[in-house]
Amino acid sequence: MTELMHDHLPIHLTNLAKRYGNIYRLKCGNTTMIVLNSSDIIREALVKKWSDFAGRAVSYTADIVSGGGRNISLGDYTEEWKALRRLVHGALQRCCKHSLHNVIERQALQLRKVLVDYRGGAVDLSEDFTVAASNVIITLVFGKEYDKSSSELQQLHRCLNEIVALWGSTWISALDTFPLLRKFPNPVFSRLLREVSRRDEIIRKHLNQFKSEGHRRTDVITGSLLEGVDRHQTEPGVVLTDMHVHMATVDLLIGGSETTAAWLNWTVAFLLHRPEFQTKVYEELCTVLEGRYPKYSDRQRLPILCSLIHEVLRLRPVAPLAVPHKAIRDSSIAGYFIPRNTIIIPNLFGAHHDPEVWSDPYSFKPERFLEGGGGSTRALIPFGGGARLCLGETVAKMELFLFTAYLLRDFCFVLPDSEAPLPDLRGVASVVLKIKSFTVIARPRTGP
């Protein structure tokens, strides 16, 4: 248990790999955990042998957060889960094909306006990044968007932020490993229960409002999901309910806002450490695009920008330990026997800092992904893999590309003054790896 109580667990588990190798076992009460620390071993488990390791541990706290396992991220690998994933995947694909590019472009231009309005003042951009990312997923899910001052949006952010932060707490995971602790007062768990209740109230209100409008907009994810649930209720086999739609919506909102916003903060922070790389990206955008804003289809023509995105994804995968998997049958990884019900922790952070794969792995060097740089995108696994591959991978990749391109085309990010310290790059690790808050000046470019 003590091995899991470190304040930055991804770094600690990566350091243990230096001592014990890229696959090792932790015993925690009656639970056996296997930590995987290289991309090859993680791919073997999650992709090559996905059907052996597609499960999720059923736990006391996970059931509370996931409405009894009725969501994608924490639900166990059952026929019900597979039906829900197919439904959500289909709804996401339809809506993304219909409007994703335009939705992201609109939010990127809105973000540009917000930054211009700061008039060169030193600000913490984390909230602005969260609003921009949230509005992308909220527009896709509910067909509406908010501005920064919206109390409804702020309430939803606070609530989801708290749940993500509390969920990563040792005080919470201890309740799963040592059931006896559930009989004692636990202020952290009490806070989690309050936030889950508040979250459900907000989502329920949105869903009821959507249903009361009477027409089903299938170009919006919620409408597509509700229609799919109605269809499932008339078919034999698995029954999906409005609760599945509720929990799938929670998954999409958390996955589509906290992660993208965290990544944009990391990008600005790393660029403050190497400001000359901002100039390289800016010059590439000006030269290749001749002054216009980029489209996602331009990405093959912008290798410097893409190398920046790959390097930040490598150094700071926003879900550094993914979500633990479970062996649903006896199997093996890297030649070791893995019994059924073993918990598998894919340490994406460790795989992305593996010195056998990456030269100078802890340094920010986007040029490693340029021709002749020695870096391979195949060794990157920021979205996991196999049956549990992040549902929002398509949305995330387009967001990261377009937001980064728009920001670096129109702004140069600089420290508030020459004496100001550079952002601390260690980060705060929970389910999502976030940077400690810092201030920056977004200085408008004079024009391409």
Side-chain angles (χ1 to χ4, degrees):
M1 188 69 185
T2 56
E3 298 295 355
L4 301 175
M5 292 175 74
H6 287 254
D7 67 331
H8 200 306
L9 195 54
I11 288 178
H12 180 63
L13 295 181
T14 301
N15 288 338
L16 287 179
K18 294 174 187 173
R19 200 184 315 164
Y20 298 112
N22 280 334
I23 176 169
Y24 58 80
R25 180 176 62 195
L26 292 174
K27 294 284 281 183
C28 190
N30 294 324
T31 306
T32 300
M33 302 178 185
I34 305 293
V35 185
L36 312 179
N37 300 278
S38 80
S39 55
D40 284 346
I41 293 175
I42 291 172
R43 281 183 196 281
E44 180 189 340
L46 304 194
V47 181
K48 187 178 173 188
K49 296 179 178 175
W50 68 266
S51 61
D52 293 349
F53 300 105
R56 284 281 193 255
V58 178
S59 77
Y60 172 69
T61 56
D63 267 5
I64 288 166
V65 171
S66 65
R70 291 187 184 90
N71 70 351
I72 306 283
S73 58
L74 298 176
D76 201 4
Y77 189 71
T78 61
E79 291 304 317
E80 182 184 288
W81 181 89
K82 287 189 275 186
L84 179 61
R85 195 184 195 285
R86 280 194 302 272
L87 180 64
V88 177
H89 184 253
L92 198 54
Q93 276 194 318
R94 276 191 297 279
C95 297
C96 288
K97 188 177 178 182
H98 179 77
S99 59
L100 179 60
H101 205 289
N102 290 340
V103 170
I104 297 172
E105 282 184 320
R106 190 163 70 250
Q107 292 307 320
L109 288 170
Q110 179 59 32
L111 181 60
R112 177 190 183 280
K113 182 177 178 300
V114 170
L115 267 57
V116 167
D117 287 346
Y118 284 131
R119 302 183 185 281
V123 288
D124 177 353
L125 294 174
S126 56
E127 191 179 348
D128 297 307
F129 289 156
T130 302
V131 170
S134 296
N135 269 329
V136 171
I137 195 65
I138 287 171
T139 303
L140 293 173
V141 172
F142 292 123
K144 57 163 61 173
E145 61 184 73
Y146 296 98
D147 63 31
K148 184 176 172 180
S149 63
S150 162
S151 61
E152 199 171 347
L153 183 68
Q154 289 172 356
Q155 189 185 16
L156 182 61
H157 282 167
R158 273 197 302 272
C159 176
L160 297 180
N161 253 320
E162 274 285 284
I163 290 171
V164 169
L166 294 168
W167 180 244
S169 162
T170 309
W171 293 102
I172 300 298
S173 54
L175 298 177
D176 294 324
T177 311
F178 304 106
L180 185 65
L181 294 178
R182 297 171 203 167
K183 298 182 185 296
F184 298 97
N186 186 328
V188 178
F189 184 57
S190 298
R191 273 172 60 204
L192 180 67
L193 290 176
R194 277 198 305 276
E195 295 303 332
V196 167
S197 177
R198 190 171 294 146
R199 173 202 76 186
D200 290 342
E201 191 182 322
I202 295 168
I203 302 298
R204 201 177 297 116
K205 179 181 157 193
H206 274 294
L207 288 174
N208 288 340
Q209 187 181 344
F210 195 88
K211 284 195 272 188
S212 70
E213 290 169 1
H215 59 280
R216 291 283 170 88
R217 289 178 54 193
T218 52
D219 61 322
V220 173
I221 290 174
T222 305
S224 196
L225 291 178
L226 289 169
E227 186 185 73
V229 163
D230 287 348
R231 212 168 42 242
H232 262 281
Q233 287 172 341
T234 61
E235 293 175 5
V238 175
V239 174
L240 296 179
T241 66
D242 284 2
M243 187 60 179
H244 290 97
V245 176
H246 181 113
M247 293 313 307
T249 303
V250 170
D251 261 350
L252 290 168
L253 292 176
I254 290 179
S257 54
E258 299 306 316
T259 51
T260 303
W263 189 89
L264 290 171
N265 272 306
W266 280 116
T267 301
V268 172
F270 276 113
L271 287 172
L272 290 175
H273 281 256
R274 279 196 62 187
E276 79 282 0
F277 211 82
Q278 295 187 61
T279 308
K280 290 181 182 178
V281 174
Y282 174 69
E283 288 172 352
E284 179 182 65
L285 289 167
C286 293
T287 306
V288 173
L289 304 181
E290 299 175 341
R292 68 173 172 84
Y293 281 112
K295 301 288 184 187
Y296 192 50
S297 55
D298 293 318
R299 62 193 182 282
Q300 305 299 339
R301 302 166 61 212
L302 298 166
I304 298 175
L305 172 61
C306 289
S307 73
L308 167 65
I309 293 169
H310 290 144
E311 181 69 341
V312 181
L313 281 172
R314 181 187 77 80
L315 283 166
R316 297 296 180 267
V318 287
L321 301 176
V323 178
H325 290 233
K326 182 185 73 176
I328 55 181
R329 60 177 69 91
D330 290 351
S331 187
S332 66
I333 303 174
Y336 293 97
F337 173 69
I338 309 293
R340 181 172 172 267
N341 289 330
T342 302
I343 303 302
I344 307 298
I345 299 178
N347 181 5
L348 309 184
F349 183 92
H352 286 180
H353 290 80
D354 183 354
E356 306 258 321
V357 177
W358 309 100
S359 62
D360 200 5
Y362 286 86
S363 293
F364 173 62
K365 292 183 175 179
E367 56 271 25
R368 74 174 80 238
F369 288 105
L370 295 173
E371 194 172 342
S376 166
T377 55
R378 195 192 172 282
L380 287 177
I381 42 173
F383 301 100
R388 295 283 182 170
L389 178 72
C390 171
L391 260 179
E393 181 183 13
T394 304
V395 178
K397 283 182 173 177
M398 194 182 290
E399 277 187 295
L400 301 186
F401 179 83
L402 290 174
F403 276 130
T404 308
Y406 274 54
L407 286 168
L408 294 182
R409 175 195 180 277
D410 289 338
F411 300 95
C412 173
F413 294 94
V414 297
L415 290 168
D417 61 69
S418 57
E419 302 298 313
L422 285 162
D424 178 355
L425 296 177
R426 178 178 166 85
V428 180
S430 181
V431 177
V432 175
L433 180 54
K434 297 184 178 184
I435 191 165
K436 287 181 179 173
S437 61
F438 64 95
T439 56
V440 64
I441 293 172
R443 186 176 290 158
R445 298 276 188 186
T446 51

